[in-house]
Amino acid sequence: MVSHEPNYHAPVDHGTSQFSLIPKRVVDGSEPGQAVAAAVLSGAPIELQARTVRIYRPTKTATQSGTWHGHHWQMDWDILQKGHRWENQLMGWQSSGDFMQATHLNFNSKEDAIRFAEKQGYEYFVQEPNERKFVPKAYANNFMHTPKKLKIVRTK
């Protein structure tokens, strides 16, 4: 009779696979710096330990005119590439097995986000925001005298 229960006492052959998603420098402790990555010590899943994160300042929506909520920085995880997305057969929607895809963290400054990423052992890149140039304009400038040719504005 065949037993369908798992054998918890089976010997583990560690020599058959050398692949690890965690960078070798993190595992063996040769990571530059004084602190060991928190992801290695916490027992977090391997899929979470080797992720690359993006640190950026989000842009405001097109309907906003002020600078409110433009001062904080966000960190989100890059999308996994291979085999983690598929098309739902019933509806045709895109499905994903990536549980960190829509997750983001907010920080007060870029330095706080970088410090957190380094402490967690994440590889990161910083996406600097594009600063807009504001040119002050006044309606009265349309009627100022300039020594050029007379400008005729047709109303009809």
Side-chain angles (χ1 to χ4, degrees):
M1 178 175 234
V2 177
S3 174
H4 295 288
E5 295 179 12
N7 183 3
Y8 293 108
H9 303 292
V12 178
D13 185 11
H14 293 286
T16 59
S17 176
Q18 298 295 323
F19 177 73
S20 174
L21 289 173
I22 306 171
K24 196 72 165 166
R25 57 187 165 74
V26 173
V27 174
D28 64 8
S30 64
E31 175 96 28
Q34 298 177 358
V36 178
V40 174
L41 299 176
S42 69
I46 293 177
E47 296 86 16
L48 186 59
Q49 293 179 19
R51 299 291 294 268
T52 301
V53 295
R54 175 178 67 137
I55 299 171
Y56 65 101
R57 192 165 71 190
T59 59
K60 63 181 185 173
T61 62
T63 58
Q64 291 179 342
S65 60
T67 59
W68 187 253
H69 288 300
H71 56 275
H72 67 277
W73 288 75
Q74 283 187 352
M75 182 176 82
D76 63 3
W77 283 259
D78 274 356
I79 297 172
L80 293 176
Q81 297 299 323
K82 298 184 226 170
H84 295 281
R85 297 180 74 74
W86 65 90
E87 184 174 323
N88 189 318
Q89 296 295 326
L90 180 63
M91 299 300 291
W93 295 338
Q94 287 287 322
S95 297
S96 174
D98 185 8
F99 54 90
M100 297 303 288
Q101 175 177 317
T103 306
H104 66 269
L105 298 174
N106 292 329
F107 296 93
N108 291 331
S109 68
K110 176 174 65 171
E111 290 76 23
D112 289 343
I114 291 173
R115 193 175 314 115
F116 179 80
E118 288 174 349
K119 185 176 180 181
Q120 294 298 320
Y122 297 141
E123 295 186 13
Y124 64 91
F125 64 95
V126 178
Q127 186 176 9
E128 295 291 337
N130 294 331
E131 298 294 333
R132 69 180 186 138
K133 294 190 306 186
F134 181 73
V135 179
K137 297 180 182 178
Y139 181 67
N141 291 344
N142 294 336
F143 303 103
M144 287 181 58
H145 172 70
T146 56
K148 298 179 185 174
K149 185 179 174 184
L150 183 61
K151 182 171 124 180
I152 299 174
V153 178
R154 303 211 186 266
T155 58
K156 292 198 180 195

